Amino acid sequence: MAKLSCIPSLLLFIFLVSLNVNISSAKTSYNVLTYGARPNGKTDSTQAFLHAWTAACGSTDPTMIYIPKGRYLLGSVAFKGGHCKSPDITIRIDGTLIAPEDYRILGRARNWLSFEGVSGVSIVGGALDAKGSPLWDCKSKGSNCPAGATTLSFVNSNNIKIKGLLSLNSQMFHIVINGCQNVQVQGVRVIAAGDSPNTDGIHVQLSTDVVIMDSSIKTGDDCISIGPGTKNLWIERVGCGPGHGISIGSLAKTTDERGVQNVTVKNTVFSGTTNGFRIKSWARHSNGFVKAIRFSGATMINVQNPIIIDQNYCPHNLNCPNQVSGIQISDVMYQGIRGTSATPVAIKFDCSFKYPCKGIRLQNVNLTYLKKEARSTCTNAIGKTYGQVLPDNCL
Ligand SMILES: *[C@@H]1O[C@H](CO)[C@@H](O)[C@H](O)[C@H]1NC(C)=O
Ligand SMILES: *[C@@H]1O[C@H](CO)[C@@H](O)[C@H](O)[C@H]1NC(C)=O
């Protein structure tokens, strides 16, 4: 008997040993609980997370920081890459990270979770609950409120992945990619109230080779906002709404500004949003530009401005001499876009009189308003249509 039962347990032992070897040769794991984090939603785990980061960072191997199930209270944390040796740090989150109850604590900090100067960092899974709604309430009453914090930001970083993350009720922007190369955002969900102020879903600027795929964004400002210096951005299979759509801009914030080029947006669904595809610039001088943009394959459901270029942005008419934008917009393609507009004007190109939009192309577009054909309006826009384009083009 003893002999018989010995064999399977020996096999099991060999199996476990080989499994263990596999795991440890792949990644050294650092569990935040070991560093004093408490999954009770009450104990401040900020220092524990920082210690786990320092340990993972200091290893010369690929490492993993593991955050088990549970709720972790975190204040503002900056994960810095300066002294990192590890070429590859995976932050695996099975739990929820929650912000302090008092919105003023993060509100004055600009950032909640920020990564600066890191390389090869992946965030996999998890939920970030920034508890932004008391700050939105404060702002709606207009009473001396702090600006609010971005939930998750990567600054001056390379080779970044964000996969399967949920960002809930950010105070300000949910996810910011600023000054980065090679970033993949996949399977991310963003949720905030449709009337929450400045809660952009994903903001990209001064960054190259960024991919955003298979994500769902419901928020109070732009689902995706694309700022100056964005190059080679690929967006595919993204749902947006409520929200302000996918926007390039606002550009021409400053006179000296990097351009936006080579942006592809494929297979998106907008539902009940204020905009679909928007390009927006201040009506003032700038050396910036927008070129080589492809908007292809989109369903619009009850969208106020499905296709819009607005180069006359100037709230309160301040600092817009002659009300003219210096941003040159060229080579913008809209292809395979159908659905419904919530206003009579479904296509609006309102371009700069000094630098008219050029190379605007519309192909196979069908946008209706109240079951009838919608309208299009063009100012200073030059381009062509291909195939069937409804509403009739004004280019
Ligand atoms: C444009 O960006 C895509 C990735 O989004 C890249 O594959 C392609 O090579 C880029 N095109 C140019 C001309 O740089
Ligand atoms: C445009 O879309 C409407 C509503 O979906 C549809 O009834 C109409 O046939 C379409 N027109 C063309 C030319 O495809």
Side-chain angles (χ1 to χ4, degrees), residues 68-104:
K69 281 202 176 115
R71 295 167 69 76
Y72 301 84
L73 176 63
L74 289 183
S76 173
V77 200
F79 299 97
K80 301 206 171 164
H83 300 288
C84 267
K85 297 193 195 95
S86 179
D88 178 344
I89 302 177
T90 298
I91 303 176
R92 162 93 218 176
I93 311 176
D94 284 341
T96 299
L97 314 190
I98 61 174
E101 214 61 56
D102 180 353
Y103 65 84
R104 287 168 300 190

Side-chain angles (χ1 to χ4, degrees), residues 317-329:
N317 287 318
L318 279 173
N319 305 318
C320 305
N322 309 320
Q323 187 72 26
V324 61
S325 179
I327 301 282
Q328 172 73 73
I329 297 175

Side-chain angles (χ1 to χ4, degrees), residues 90-136:
T90 298
I91 303 176
R92 162 93 218 176
I93 311 176
D94 284 341
T96 299
L97 314 190
I98 61 174
E101 214 61 56
D102 180 353
Y103 65 84
R104 287 168 300 190
I105 296 172
L106 286 189
R108 285 186 288 259
R110 291 184 73 120
N111 291 297
W112 182 21
L113 310 168
S114 64
F115 290 82
E116 297 167 26
V118 302
S119 182
V121 171
S122 306
I123 297 183
V124 181
L128 311 177
D129 182 355
K131 297 182 179 276
S133 75
L135 175 62
W136 313 334

Side-chain angles (χ1 to χ4, degrees), residues 42-227:
K42 291 194 185 99
T43 312
D44 189 326
S45 294
T46 309
Q47 288 310 313
F49 274 59
L50 275 173
H51 289 144
W53 170 259
T54 304
C57 229
S59 162
T60 50
D61 297 325
T63 55
M64 173 160 90
I65 295 173
Y66 181 57
I67 300 152
K69 281 202 176 115
R71 295 167 69 76
Y72 301 84
L73 176 63
L74 289 183
S76 173
V77 200
F79 299 97
K80 301 206 171 164
H83 300 288
C84 267
K85 297 193 195 95
S86 179
D88 178 344
I89 302 177
T90 298
I91 303 176
R92 162 93 218 176
I93 311 176
D94 284 341
T96 299
L97 314 190
I98 61 174
E101 214 61 56
D102 180 353
Y103 65 84
R104 287 168 300 190
I105 296 172
L106 286 189
R108 285 186 288 259
R110 291 184 73 120
N111 291 297
W112 182 21
L113 310 168
S114 64
F115 290 82
E116 297 167 26
V118 302
S119 182
V121 171
S122 306
I123 297 183
V124 181
L128 311 177
D129 182 355
K131 297 182 179 276
S133 75
L135 175 62
W136 313 334
D137 289 346
C138 175
K139 286 181 175 177
S140 75
K141 292 182 194 114
S143 51
N144 204 9
C145 319
T150 291
T151 288
L152 175 65
S153 61
F154 280 92
V155 181
N156 300 332
S157 297
N158 304 319
N159 308 325
I160 303 305
K161 285 189 188 138
I162 305 171
K163 269 180 85 170
L165 180 80
L166 165 66
S167 176
L168 205 60
N169 298 334
S170 188
Q171 288 192 341
M172 282 275 284
F173 292 15
H174 287 258
I175 297 173
V176 168
I177 312 290
N178 182 3
C180 297
Q181 270 78 47
N182 188 21
V183 179
Q184 282 181 43
V185 178
Q186 207 195 348
V188 161
R189 283 181 306 147
V190 166
I191 302 176
D195 60 356
S196 56
N198 302 113
T199 52
D200 296 40
I202 302 172
H203 177 77
V204 181
Q205 68 173 33
L206 298 171
S207 295
T208 305
D209 298 320
V210 177
V211 176
I212 300 169
M213 282 176 67
D214 301 311
S215 293
S216 152
I217 300 167
K218 302 169 195 287
T219 195
D221 207 304
D222 295 341
C223 287
I224 299 176
S225 51
I226 300 160

Side-chain angles (χ1 to χ4, degrees), residues 338-340 365-368 371 388 390:
R338 62 197 172 82
T340 55
V365 174
N366 180 2
L367 293 164
T368 57
K371 301 213 157 78
Q388 189 120 40
L390 296 170

Side-chain angles (χ1 to χ4, degrees), residues 232-234 262:
N232 305 350
L233 170 62
W234 187 278
N262 189 19

